[in-house]
């Protein structure tokens, strides 16, 4: 069987949708067939299968995904071309100002209340177009302000937020 380094090298160079000839052992695990190459030379990559524009758009749409929940303000890089078929271009839009699409990135800023954002991907190849919608739950921004105080006694059934301060680092 493959070493970890060989397996990592194959994964790093593999493109979703690729076709290959593989010499290996076929096993059934959790009701799914899996093939285990016998060595690092057992895979002959034939490249990505040629698809029509409609098939390429459908393939890329089926493999497209983004985060479904955001708990902090963040920037998510969105694909602008297909992962396997670069003839498929992807344009993104958002229906909410707390998640703005800018230069191929989704910039999320936590709103005052929890919000559901609809992000739409429009995939195009030639004259073929398909839209895919994603719903993202965006948490509310924290509203509580905690003022640090030194506690020497604790009261039962009262919640405390404990922190560690490192004087030497000032953090």
């Amino acid at each position: 069987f493959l070493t970890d380094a060989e397996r990592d090298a194959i994964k790093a160079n593999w493109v979703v949708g690729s076709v290959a000839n593989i010499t290996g052992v076929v096993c059934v695990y959790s009701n799914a067939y899996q093939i285990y190459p016998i060595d690092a030379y057992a895979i002959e990559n034939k490249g990505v299968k040629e698809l029509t524009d409609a098939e390429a758009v459908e393939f890329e749409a089926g493999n497209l995904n983004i985060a479904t929940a955001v708990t902090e303000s963040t920037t998510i890089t969105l694909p602008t071309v297909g992962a396997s078929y670069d003839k498929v271009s992807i344009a993104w839009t958002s229906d909410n100002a707390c998640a703005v699409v800018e230069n191929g990135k989704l910039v999320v800023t936590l709103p005052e209340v929890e919000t559901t954002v609809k992000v739409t991907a429009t995939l195009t190849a030639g004259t073929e177009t398909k839209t895919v919608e994603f719903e993202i739950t965006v948490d509310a921004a924290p509203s509580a302000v905690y003022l640090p105080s030194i506690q020497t006694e604790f009261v039962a059934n009262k919640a405390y937020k404990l922190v560690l301060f490192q004087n030497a680092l000032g953090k």
Side-chain angles (χ1 to χ4, degrees):
F1 290 108
L2 299 176
T3 65
D4 289 344
E6 291 169 331
R7 186 173 45 252
D8 291 344
I10 291 169
K11 285 181 182 179
N13 295 313
W14 194 259
V15 176
V16 174
S18 294
V19 177
N21 290 334
I22 302 174
T23 304
V25 177
V26 176
C27 301
V28 178
Y29 180 75
S30 295
N31 295 323
Y33 287 94
Q34 297 182 3
I35 186 164
Y36 296 95
I38 57 173
D39 63 28
Y41 306 103
I43 299 175
E44 180 187 0
N45 193 345
K46 297 289 189 176
V48 178
K49 180 181 174 186
E50 278 299 316
L51 298 180
T52 65
D53 289 348
E55 292 170 328
V57 165
E58 196 64 39
F59 178 86
E60 292 294 349
N63 287 301
L64 196 60
N65 61 54
I66 60 174
T68 58
V70 174
T71 58
E72 59 186 40
S73 294
T74 188
T75 300
I76 301 169
T77 301
L78 302 170
T80 56
V81 296
S84 298
Y85 297 93
D86 58 6
K87 67 180 177 178
V88 177
S89 63
I90 307 170
W92 297 87
T93 59
S94 168
D95 73 342
N96 194 298
C98 76
V100 179
V101 176
E102 296 176 348
N103 301 321
K105 297 180 188 306
L106 182 65
V107 180
V108 181
T109 305
L110 296 184
E112 291 182 16
V113 296
E114 183 177 297
T115 304
T116 299
V117 176
K118 182 170 66 173
V119 177
T120 304
T122 303
L123 296 90
T124 306
T127 59
E128 300 296 328
T129 300
K130 181 178 179 91
T131 59
V132 181
E133 293 181 351
F134 300 92
E135 283 193 354
I136 302 173
T137 302
V138 180
D139 279 355
S143 58
V145 176
Y146 299 101
L147 298 174
S149 62
I150 297 174
Q151 294 291 184
T152 56
E153 295 182 23
F154 294 94
V155 178
N157 298 320
K158 182 177 178 183
Y160 295 92
K161 181 176 182 178
L162 303 176
V163 297
L164 174 66
F165 184 82
Q166 295 179 336
N167 271 340
L169 299 177
K171 295 180 181 180

